[in-house]
Amino acid sequence: MLDTVLNTLAVAKVIDGSQLWVETLRLLGKTPIALLITLIVSIVLLKNQRSYEQIEKICDSSLGPICAIVLVTGAGGMFGGVLRASGIGEVLASTLGHTGMPVIVAAFIISSALRVAQGSATVALTTTAALISPMVAADPSLSQMDLCFIVISIASGATVLAHVNDSGFWLVSRFLEIDTKTMLKTWTVQETLIGIVGFIIAYVGSIIF
């Protein structure tokens, strides 16, 4: 929360992001530091109820499952990284960006294609936004509501078809002990439905408003 909130305030020019106190608090909010603090606090709270030997045993027994999740999640993320480095995302986006279709539809398709190709929803979001922005700037007929619906369309496309090149897919799979086939039947279908429903709502909203 410290990292996200302070970064948002700094981007909005509410505070000076270069100040030492801001950078210090953002450092505490970084994921590794926040998790380390959580671990230390947990050990301190447990020491009143457990012996040091018991706490050590708890920590040792947790390493196996954690390492397995980190390893598989990292492998999935690396696969997505390889696809990004290959340039497939840029090729897909460039091809779909010149089809002449409505901006909101193009945004969804490009974002979906990038999501499927390289797995990262964040990369799909940012890349699609960069590619769509010239189209949006060139269309003066788009209202503020239209822009909101385009953003929702991009986010919806970046949600669909989460599969084996998505590190989050493996995180959920290993943490909940779900096999890959079942994940594809449940998680992938669920994410796809969320994305499609979101796009439909955005598209209908753009027509009505």
Side-chain angles (χ1 to χ4, degrees), residues 154-168:
I154 294 173
S156 298
T159 304
V160 303
L161 294 171
H163 61 100
V164 295
N165 65 352
D166 177 18
S167 58

Side-chain angles (χ1 to χ4, degrees), residues 167-187:
S167 58
F169 178 94
W170 293 109
L171 177 64
V172 175
S173 171
R174 291 299 177 262
F175 192 73
L176 298 181
E177 299 182 356
I178 304 174
D179 62 88
T180 303
K181 184 177 181 180
T182 303
M183 280 293 293
L184 291 171
K185 290 180 177 180
T186 56
W187 181 258

